Amino acid sequence: MKLGIFVHSKRPKISIKEIIKVLESVNISYSKEDPDIAIVIGGDGTFGYYGRILRIPMLFVGINDPDILSRKAKLAGISYDYLARALISIKSGRYFIDKRRMLSLNYGKEKLVDILTDVYLERGNFSHGIRYALSVFSPVRSKPQRVRKIFTEYAIGNGIIVSTSFGSGGYYSYPQRIMKAKFNYSDTATHKRFSDNRIGICHIIPTFLLREKNEGRDKKNINVKMRAEQIQYTIPIESTIKINLIRNANVRLYGATDDSKGIPVGIDKEISIIASNRSAKIIHLYN
């Protein structure tokens, strides 16, 4: 069995040389070219990046950092402090592989990008609240190749997060401060991890949010003010999500590139998200 080591390409918390020493201490081979298992060390952004591109089983390892503003590793399976013990468990076969559903994202004519954790659309510096529309479509039971619109939401806010079940403990779970006068909501929003057959949607600090429901072919669409629980909610994974900017602004799409710069987004292209045919292989250790 050969293990690969994967860290942030520019800001690794632990050097690869130090990690190799841990592997050597338990007599495990390190392979740079064709590993059987990936040891991914870093924060949630690093996990999301390698989760998109690696096809082998992955163990996510977080770093304990006392700095309150340091990178977080909410999605880690273990802490780096216990890496040697974890490697012994892997070497002896005391682990199982959890296959997790992924999403596929398309922006414009670019090819599909698979997502393990989340993607988010967010306003840039010097931008006011961005104006966007999010539509959710569902397959037609009698004709699975076709979809029908369920609703469209119109929003002004800082952006929106679309999350997988696996990524629900990351950015999707941030505590929002919501204007009580607008949404009759408490100071902070809480969440529960949702099942693998759901997609999470979370509007980021919206100041305006309206849902237009599709009430059928012969009925007019109905506009409904959003309730508090509809600011952060889930939909079936079979759904199709389409997001469009309504007004040009300094807006970027994060979570789908090889770096942290994101993709500039304009009103001329549509963001489309569907369930991926791929599943990620996440390693969990037996107690």
Side-chain angles (χ1 to χ4, degrees), residues 30-140:
Y30 163 63
S31 174
K32 190 175 181 179
E33 300 299 331
D34 57 346
D36 304 304
I37 288 175
I39 305 299
V40 183
I41 300 177
D44 293 337
T46 302
F47 301 154
Y49 168 68
Y50 286 112
R52 295 200 310 270
I53 65 174
L54 296 178
R55 302 296 181 105
I56 58 178
M58 297 169 286
L59 176 67
F60 291 152
V61 182
I63 304 294
N64 291 327
D65 194 325
D67 184 354
I68 193 171
L69 295 179
S70 68
R71 72 182 65 187
K72 304 304 177 185
K74 294 181 180 179
L75 306 179
I78 65 161
S79 166
Y80 182 77
D81 296 340
Y82 299 98
L83 178 58
R85 187 185 305 176
L87 293 174
I88 292 173
S89 294
I90 291 174
K91 185 177 180 180
S92 59
R94 296 198 304 272
Y95 69 93
F96 66 95
I97 294 175
D98 183 19
K99 292 186 177 180
R100 304 305 301 264
R101 299 289 298 270
M102 302 176 72
L103 301 175
S104 284
L105 176 143
N106 179 270
Y107 178 55
K109 296 181 180 179
E110 298 172 17
K111 65 179 182 179
L112 288 173
V113 176
D114 286 327
I115 305 296
L116 171 60
T117 54
D118 52 39
V119 290
Y120 55 101
L121 189 71
E122 192 170 26
R123 70 183 182 91
N125 295 333
F126 311 114
S127 288
H128 299 291
I130 63 175
R131 290 162 168 78
Y132 61 91
L134 176 143
S135 297
V136 173
F137 299 80
S138 177
V140 177

Side-chain angles (χ1 to χ4, degrees), residues 135-139 147 199 235-242 272-274:
S135 297
V136 173
F137 299 80
S138 177
V147 296
I199 302 173
I235 58 175
I237 197 158
E238 296 83 10
S239 305
T240 296
I241 300 169
K242 295 184 182 296
S272 178
I273 301 171
I274 60 174

Side-chain angles (χ1 to χ4, degrees), residues 238-261:
E238 296 83 10
S239 305
T240 296
I241 300 169
K242 295 184 182 296
I243 304 172
N244 296 88
L245 275 191
I246 296 175
R247 181 184 297 179
N248 269 324
N250 182 10
V251 181
R252 303 186 83 85
L253 178 67
Y254 296 95
T257 59
D258 296 347
D259 54 41
S260 58
K261 296 179 180 179

Side-chain angles (χ1 to χ4, degrees), residues 130-225:
I130 63 175
R131 290 162 168 78
Y132 61 91
L134 176 143
S135 297
V136 173
F137 299 80
S138 177
V140 177
R141 291 186 178 181
S142 59
K143 299 179 180 179
Q145 70 277 13
R146 297 183 59 186
V147 296
R148 63 185 180 91
K149 185 189 293 186
I150 305 302
F151 61 81
T152 295
E153 292 169 355
Y154 300 94
I156 303 174
N158 281 20
I160 189 166
I161 302 166
V162 179
S163 172
T164 64
S165 169
F166 182 78
S168 63
Y171 297 122
Y172 176 83
S173 65
Y174 86 103
Q176 299 183 79
R177 292 203 168 273
I178 306 300
M179 292 185 178
K180 294 183 181 180
K182 285 281 186 183
F183 300 106
N184 190 27
Y185 204 47
S186 59
D187 283 342
T188 58
T190 58
H191 90 293
K192 295 180 180 179
R193 286 183 180 269
F194 48 85
S195 67
D196 215 33
N197 61 354
R198 308 287 292 183
I199 302 173
I201 296 176
C202 179
H203 294 281
I204 307 173
I205 317 179
T207 58
F208 174 85
L209 195 54
L210 190 73
R211 175 175 291 184
E212 183 181 75
K213 292 184 177 180
N214 186 349
E215 294 294 310
R217 181 179 301 175
D218 301 324
K219 298 181 181 179
K220 293 182 179 180
N221 290 344
I222 299 176
N223 292 333
V224 181
K225 285 186 177 181

